[in-house]
Amino acid sequence: MATGWGSLLQDEQQLEELARQAVDRALAEGVLLRTSQEPSSSDVVSYAPFTLFPSLVPSALLEQAYAVQMDFNLLVDAVSQNAAFLEQTLSSTIKRDNFTARLFDIHKQVLKEGIAQTVFLGLNRSDYMFQRNADGSPALKQIEINTISASFGGLASRTPAVHRHVLNVLSKTREAAKILSNNPSKGLALGIAKAWELYGSANALVLLIAQEKERNIFDQRAIENELLARNIHVIRRRFEDVSEKGSLDQDRRLFMDGQEVAVVYFRDGYMPSHYSLQNWEARLLLERSCAVKCPDIATQLAGTKKVQQELSRVGMLEHVLPGQPEAVARLRATFAGLYSLDMGEEGDQAITEAIAAPSHFVLKPQREGGGNNLYGEEMVQALKGLKDSEERASYILMEKIEPEPFGNCLLRSGSPARVVQCISELGIFGVYVRQGKTLVMNKHVGHLLRTKAIEHADGGVAAGVAVLDNPYPV
């Protein structure tokens, strides 16, 4: 890959002036977060961290990531409908991972009672890194797929203007024009609007399940505002509110404060810390309703690391997506090495290999939200401790992706602008809507590039490690 903005990164004085301009433009464009001191209030806000320059991304890999997104939408949707596959795949995990087990219990309860919802909505984001091949060429490799609360579709639509501004200040107008326009929040809202329309009740609302302390509120508001522009009203409530004021009628229609709910959009509920006993009960109530859940419980389970690892087994994609060899080939081309740690010979071998060559592997639990994975010596110690325990089944091993580092300048509130060696992660947003067995929408709706200093192994923007970025196609 080309060297990027090398010479521009040398001039410290110029960088400082550019950084000031970039930050002001980011604030003007609405690239905002609430502060960690006041996460429940918008009285004082700051800019969301971002790169001073867009980062170089090979056009071919960007195109490949977009081209495979509709296949991933189909795959997640197929897995979510395949109760036998989910049960078999997660059988060992739910014995040892309490959080996945609680989700699975709700899944089983809903299946037993009969699924009330007839319209299904998926808003996901598939994340990739660019593996450096032996010959130096880059390859697209999937890190994970987020099937619940896939964030930054709103802020990602605000950052292209900031990077264009920086390049225009430098009189690089031709380069500025190469930064792609991007509006994932519009596409995500389109999916919610379609699901709302198919639900078929003109006065029904969209219920956004939110956290009490939400720094990333402006990202969520972008989707709410798109919906309001279509005259679809959104109410924000916590699980606790659902528990106190949510109810189902005899047809299992969901009501919140006496108003009918057509779509439930989760921006909470993806980590164990998000649930009290009361919150689990609220989640069950929502799942039992005929409202469209985004995601429903089966789709959240379809996004687990264990499912990702099982889908990489030989013949498994063909089993889940029969008669679709082209889609299977596109999907499989993005898979990194994934290894089961279930008790038995296969798991034993994976552990032995990882302990012998720790720099080639990552240990992943069944968790979302960043900052959960183990690397290097920490991973080796964990594996030695887990080796003889059934608890190891709650993890998977993954091949460690080694991208080519590059220089960029990371801008973060309260920190001086500094040039560091970085790596990027590319996410593509996908939307699908299914009514009964008929897929009525399947599309990709935009991208997210996040960049972090190479010393930070794990974690995203919300976890305080990565910063927002834009791809500069080369």
Side-chain angles (χ1 to χ4, degrees), residues 365-385:
Q366 312 300 314
R367 292 288 175 273
E368 299 304 321
N372 304 298
N373 301 334
L374 296 174
Y375 302 80
E377 187 51 37
E378 211 179 349
M379 176 188 75
V380 170
Q381 292 311 315
L383 285 173
K384 285 179 175 169

Side-chain angles (χ1 to χ4, degrees), residues 222-293:
I223 297 170
E224 292 177 48
N225 296 343
E226 290 280 355
L227 289 167
L228 194 57
R230 296 166 175 273
N231 210 15
I232 299 171
H233 290 259
V234 180
I235 55 170
R236 299 175 64 87
R237 296 289 186 274
R238 301 164 309 148
F239 277 125
E240 290 82 354
D241 301 318
V242 172
S243 172
E244 286 161 23
K245 295 182 178 164
S247 63
L248 306 186
D249 72 3
Q250 69 275 18
D251 300 321
R252 288 205 265 168
R253 291 184 303 174
L254 174 66
F255 289 84
M256 191 68 213
D257 298 321
Q259 292 177 287
E260 189 175 359
V261 173
V263 179
V264 180
Y265 174 38
F266 289 99
R267 292 296 292 250
D268 190 11
Y270 50 87
M271 288 157 94
S273 60
H274 296 168
Y275 289 95
S276 60
L277 202 54
Q278 184 188 25
N279 291 10
W280 281 117
E281 283 167 11
R283 180 72 191 263
L284 177 61
L285 179 86
L286 296 171
E287 291 299 327
R288 290 184 56 234
S289 78
C290 62
V292 184
K293 269 78 67 183

Side-chain angles (χ1 to χ4, degrees), residues 86-126:
L86 279 175
E87 177 135 26
Q88 193 181 347
T89 297
L90 295 171
S91 59
S92 56
T93 306
I94 58 180
K95 287 191 188 117
R96 288 288 163 233
D97 187 273
N98 192 34
F99 179 60
T100 311
R102 294 296 291 265
L103 293 170
F104 194 78
D105 280 346
I106 293 177
H107 170 60
K108 279 207 307 207
Q109 266 178 274
V110 170
L111 283 178
K112 192 175 165 190
E113 187 178 12
I115 296 172
Q117 77 184 83
T118 55
V119 178
F120 296 83
L121 166 65
L123 304 182
N124 63 59
R125 196 189 68 226
S126 184

Side-chain angles (χ1 to χ4, degrees), residues 64-75 124-128 142 145 331 427-431 442-446:
Q64 183 190 354
Y66 266 107
V68 75
Q69 185 57 42
M70 283 150 78
D71 303 321
F72 271 115
N73 292 344
L74 284 176
L75 179 61
N124 63 59
R125 196 189 68 226
S126 184
D127 292 336
Y128 307 89
Q142 189 189 46
I145 189 156
L331 289 162
I428 305 291
F429 290 94
V431 175
N442 181 13
K443 59 205 307 183
H444 50 66
V445 298

Side-chain angles (χ1 to χ4, degrees), residues 38 68 125 139 147 169 229 239 280 286 293 324 337 346 426 436 462 470:
E38 296 281 348
V68 75
R125 196 189 68 226
T147 61
V169 167
F239 277 125
W280 281 117
L286 296 171
K293 269 78 67 183
Q324 302 190 56
E346 184 193 10
L426 172 70
N470 279 290

Side-chain angles (χ1 to χ4, degrees), residues 137-437:
S137 66
L140 188 78
K141 291 295 167 193
Q142 189 189 46
I143 303 298
E144 64 177 355
I145 189 156
N146 302 280
T147 61
I148 179 167
S149 191
S151 58
F152 291 109
L155 296 190
S157 62
R158 310 275 196 270
T159 54
V162 180
H163 280 147
R164 286 189 197 117
H165 178 77
V166 169
L167 294 174
N168 283 330
V169 167
L170 293 165
S171 300
K172 293 187 174 290
T173 47
R174 215 176 35 151
E175 287 85 346
K178 279 186 74 174
I179 293 174
L180 307 167
S181 290
N182 185 36
N183 194 351
S185 51
K186 188 170 189 166
L188 297 170
L190 198 72
I192 296 173
K194 188 67 182 170
W196 176 87
E197 178 196 320
L198 292 172
Y199 180 85
S201 175
N203 296 320
L205 305 168
V206 172
L207 168 62
L208 189 152
I209 300 293
Q211 298 179 26
E212 173 126 32
K213 295 178 173 173
E214 182 53 81
R215 292 188 62 199
N216 200 20
I217 184 115
F218 302 101
D219 185 56
Q220 299 174 8
R221 292 288 195 206
I223 297 170
E224 292 177 48
N225 296 343
E226 290 280 355
L227 289 167
L228 194 57
R230 296 166 175 273
N231 210 15
I232 299 171
H233 290 259
V234 180
I235 55 170
R236 299 175 64 87
R237 296 289 186 274
R238 301 164 309 148
F239 277 125
E240 290 82 354
D241 301 318
V242 172
S243 172
E244 286 161 23
K245 295 182 178 164
S247 63
L248 306 186
D249 72 3
Q250 69 275 18
D251 300 321
R252 288 205 265 168
R253 291 184 303 174
L254 174 66
F255 289 84
M256 191 68 213
D257 298 321
Q259 292 177 287
E260 189 175 359
V261 173
V263 179
V264 180
Y265 174 38
F266 289 99
R267 292 296 292 250
D268 190 11
Y270 50 87
M271 288 157 94
S273 60
H274 296 168
Y275 289 95
S276 60
L277 202 54
Q278 184 188 25
N279 291 10
W280 281 117
E281 283 167 11
R283 180 72 191 263
L284 177 61
L285 179 86
L286 296 171
E287 291 299 327
R288 290 184 56 234
S289 78
C290 62
V292 184
K293 269 78 67 183
C294 179
D296 63 7
I297 202 94
T299 305
Q300 183 170 353
L301 290 168
T304 53
K305 308 291 185 287
K306 184 64 189 171
V307 166
Q308 183 189 9
Q309 174 258 305
E310 280 298 307
L311 288 171
S312 73
R313 282 190 192 279
V314 177
M316 200 55 87
L317 284 178
E318 288 84 352
H319 168 69
V320 179
L321 292 175
Q324 302 190 56
E326 293 92 348
V328 164
R330 285 190 295 266
L331 289 162
R332 190 162 282 138
T334 69
F335 285 1
L338 293 149
Y339 311 95
S340 168
L341 293 186
D342 288 359
M343 298 305 276
E345 201 177 325
E346 184 193 10
D348 290 345
Q349 191 186 339
I351 288 174
T352 305
E353 284 181 25
I355 288 173
S359 63
H360 296 165
F361 295 91
V362 184
L363 182 64
K364 295 188 161 190
Q366 312 300 314
R367 292 288 175 273
E368 299 304 321
N372 304 298
N373 301 334
L374 296 174
Y375 302 80
E377 187 51 37
E378 211 179 349
M379 176 188 75
V380 170
Q381 292 311 315
L383 285 173
K384 285 179 175 169
L386 289 166
K387 202 167 56 180
D388 302 318
S389 156
E390 290 196 353
E391 197 193 327
R392 74 190 211 186
S394 64
Y395 294 81
I396 65 159
L397 264 178
M398 183 172 172
E399 166 197 0
K400 188 164 186 264
I401 310 301
E402 296 284 1
E404 177 93 47
F406 56 88
N408 205 331
C409 182
L410 308 185
L411 304 179
R412 191 177 266 117
S413 181
S415 303
R418 61 191 189 107
V419 175
V420 288
Q421 286 296 295
C422 302
I423 54 174
S424 289
E425 192 168 321
L426 172 70
I428 305 291
F429 290 94
V431 175
Y432 63 88
V433 179
R434 173 168 49 84
Q435 186 170 33
K437 291 285 175 198

